[in-house]
Amino acid sequence: MIFESFPVGPLACNCTILGDEESREAIVIDPGDDVSRIAKRLTEQGLKLKQILVTHGHIDHVGGALKLKRLTGAPIYLNENDLPLVKMMDAQAAWLGVRPPETAPPDESLADGQVVGLEHYPAQVLHTPGHTQGSICLHFAPLKLLIAGDTLFAGSIGRTDLPGGNFDQIMASLRTRVLTLPDETRVLPGHGPLTTIGEEREFNPFLQGEAGVR
Ligand SMILES: [Zn+2]
């Protein structure tokens, strides 16, 4: 397995490249920015991009998706509930004081329960609304890995004060969809360091008393 994760853009969104060493197929998750760096790594590794998976419609996660699609031909996947956010990219860019990237509606939605990813590295889509209405996590069960987007961070959770955010909803998503995963599951959040479900269950101040349905 080829696995690379590195921060992109001014908000340091964790962008992930996952590739299959045998088939040379790859997916990219959250190409928020720095598309030339992402494309360069794909080329250097001899990888053919199959899917561009976006955890939610915020500019720092989706901003480079169309550019990467144009370079590689790979389709963009995003949960349809975040289409309103993609359509307000100019406003999102204004919040950050950056130039709005060109965007387009996704080619495919990411629906709850859908299986995406590579043949040898499949991921199940968990719809986890709250940070945004279309926020999803990607659960690579065989890898014991959760790509959490901005739903869960090491020691924190996603903000819910932006359009489409809802605190009760993110707590319900965490309780019913995220904390139900095994403790040893590694969590790669949308920003900041890796953690595990067990560590967050025990120490995350937002999750105290949220044991989850096991
Ligand atoms: Zn976000």
Side-chain angles (χ1 to χ4, degrees), residues 37-79:
R37 178 182 177 188
I38 299 165
K40 184 162 173 268
R41 287 307 294 151
L42 289 169
T43 305
E44 284 170 352
Q45 298 272 22
L47 293 169
K48 177 169 171 44
L49 188 58
K50 302 299 284 185
Q51 295 167 357
I52 299 166
L53 305 170
V54 184
T55 59
H56 64 290
H58 280 156
I59 185 171
D60 50 325
H61 296 256
V62 75
L66 183 60
K67 197 171 169 190
L68 187 59
K69 175 186 170 177
R70 285 184 177 146
L71 285 173
T72 61
I76 300 169
Y77 289 64
L78 173 82
N79 183 275

Side-chain angles (χ1 to χ4, degrees), residues 11 55-61 82 85 92 131-132 135 149-151 153 158-159 162 190-191:
L11 295 184
T55 59
H56 64 290
H58 280 156
I59 185 171
D60 50 325
H61 296 256
D82 270 1
L85 284 174
Q92 289 201 50
H131 175 62
T132 67
S135 280
D150 286 359
T151 296
F153 300 120
R159 59 190 289 186
L162 295 170
H191 303 267

